Amino acid sequence: MITQEHTIDPVLSPEQIQERVAELASQLDKELRGGEPVLLGVLNGAFMFLSDLVRQMKLPVQVDFCRLASYGSSTESCGKVTMSKDCELDLTGRVVLVVEDIVDTGLTVNWLMQHLRMRKPKMLKLCSFIDKPERRETEVDVDYIGFTVPRGFLVGYGLDYNQQYRNLPGVGELKFCS
Ligand code: IMP
Ligand code: MG
């Protein structure tokens, strides 16, 4: 529970999100054609984005999940990543689309992409619901971006603060009152 007084300022409405997800889904249908792609969601944050995305896609896809823990403060990762649940499908020779909630420093997703390259996929792409370039510490190639949000700590639509607010249908910026 968050005990400190705070507000959540709207950033993305549920309608804006659904419209963008539909656009991304039709782009992915075109660009990932020719092999049944594996959509690999990164738990927990990407669960809502992934489930909306696959329901809008027409291509046959397979879905799997991995789970990473990156240590640091509650609002910032330090790049020390461990994997608490690996992907279970064999990715050898497959078209793999990693579906992330947000790329912030980039440290977590860079670790994951390196790990997945060792599984020898035919193609490895990255789709992130949000790209937040302000605090980027390492170069990341995000192939598909839902929204670019310049700054702020975001919650909702899968994104949490201390496990709260993942269930909000839109995205907002969490602000603590001083
Ligand atoms: P990284 O800094 O790019 O390594 O981000 C690591 C993870 O921190 C992301 O996958 C998110 O789960 C989480 N994260 C980063 N920024 C935010 C945010 O603004 N709100 C909620 N979670 C975030
Ligand atoms: Mg995440």
Side-chain angles (χ1 to χ4, degrees):
M1 210 172 70
I2 313 176
T3 47
Q4 210 179 335
E5 224 178 298
H6 60 278
T7 58
I8 296 172
D9 299 353
V11 176
L12 301 169
S13 70
E15 295 73 27
Q16 260 177 302
I17 294 172
Q18 292 312 318
E19 195 179 315
R20 182 68 189 124
V21 168
E23 284 171 5
L24 275 176
S26 72
Q27 189 183 355
L28 291 167
D29 274 339
K30 287 188 201 108
E31 295 179 13
L32 302 183
R33 217 168 21 207
E36 195 174 344
V38 177
L39 267 64
L40 180 60
V42 184
L43 293 170
N44 294 341
F47 80 99
M48 204 175 279
F49 179 46
L50 178 74
S51 63
D52 281 346
L53 199 58
V54 290
R55 279 181 293 178
Q56 298 269 4
M57 286 178 73
K58 295 192 175 66
L59 270 188
V61 297
Q62 292 184 357
V63 173
D64 203 351
F65 290 96
C66 64
R67 183 163 187 180
L68 303 172
S70 79
Y71 297 96
S73 71
S74 52
T75 59
E76 196 167 0
S77 85
C78 69
K80 221 172 147 194
V81 182
T82 59
M83 182 169 254
S84 55
K85 185 213 171 299
D86 205 343
C87 164
E88 287 163 46
L89 291 172
D90 181 3
L91 303 182
T92 317
R94 302 294 304 270
V95 173
V96 178
L97 180 73
V98 174
V99 180
E100 250 290 24
D101 56 353
I102 184 164
V103 179
D104 183 23
T105 64
L107 297 169
T108 309
V109 89
N110 257 9
W111 185 96
L112 177 64
M113 298 304 268
Q114 248 175 336
H115 171 84
L116 293 173
R117 264 179 223 115
M118 294 188 291
R119 313 268 299 257
K120 302 270 179 277
K122 176 167 75 180
M123 187 198 277
L124 182 63
K125 298 277 184 191
L126 173 62
C127 175
S128 184
F129 172 55
I130 287 174
D131 181 27
K132 205 169 67 174
E134 188 195 23
R135 298 201 293 192
R136 193 64 40 85
E137 285 182 29
T138 170
E139 210 181 294
V140 185
D141 256 334
V142 190
D143 303 287
Y144 302 94
I145 295 170
F147 297 91
T148 299
V149 178
R151 66 190 64 80
F153 192 81
L154 306 173
V155 293
Y157 198 70
L159 295 162
D160 75 305
Y161 176 73
N162 287 348
Q163 301 305 327
Q164 263 187 290
Y165 298 126
R166 291 195 196 274
N167 58 319
L168 298 179
V171 169
E173 183 181 350
L174 182 77
K175 283 187 175 158
F176 288 106
C177 313
S178 47

